[in-house]
Amino acid sequence: MSIILENMVKPLSPKQASDRIAQGGLEVIDVREPHEWIDGHVPHARLVPLAQFRQNPKATLGQGPVLFVCAAGVRSETAARLALQSGFKEVYNLVGGTRSWVKAGLTLEHEPAVTAAE
């Protein structure tokens, strides 16, 4: 049973995600596109569009736990599964994405998009 749980993406509600981010030690990867990022993103997130992440997940991530974020939770689930397939163990997905984050009353940060190409 524990082996199955280790190979699963762990869902986090916006409140759970906010608490984990506040504790530190959690990498936050936003897999949306730059034009979406500009509208606001989860605090401490780093923009890595899904297409870019797909090319080389291992080069994108550190060694610790990682939380994936997108607009509604679909692209981030895809990225989280890719991370698991690449050997990462502690992988989380923000349920409902930034939409649920805002609905939960949490604030988004706003800053210009910076991608690897810039």
Side-chain angles (χ1 to χ4, degrees), residues 2-3 19 35 42 51 56 61 66 71 83 87 99-100 104 114:
S2 64
I3 293 171
D19 290 346
H35 70 274
V42 171
N56 194 349
L61 301 174
V66 60
R99 291 177 192 157
S100 67
V114 177

Side-chain angles (χ1 to χ4, degrees), residues 34 37-38 41 47 109-115 118:
W37 170 270
I38 291 169
H41 56 272
L47 178 64
E109 289 183 343
H110 294 83
E111 63 190 57
V114 177
T115 63
E118 293 183 69

Side-chain angles (χ1 to χ4, degrees), residues 64-84:
V66 60
L67 169 66
F68 289 96
V69 178
C70 68
V74 178
R75 287 173 286 178
S76 55
E77 178 76 22
T78 299
R81 290 179 188 276
L82 285 168
L84 285 176

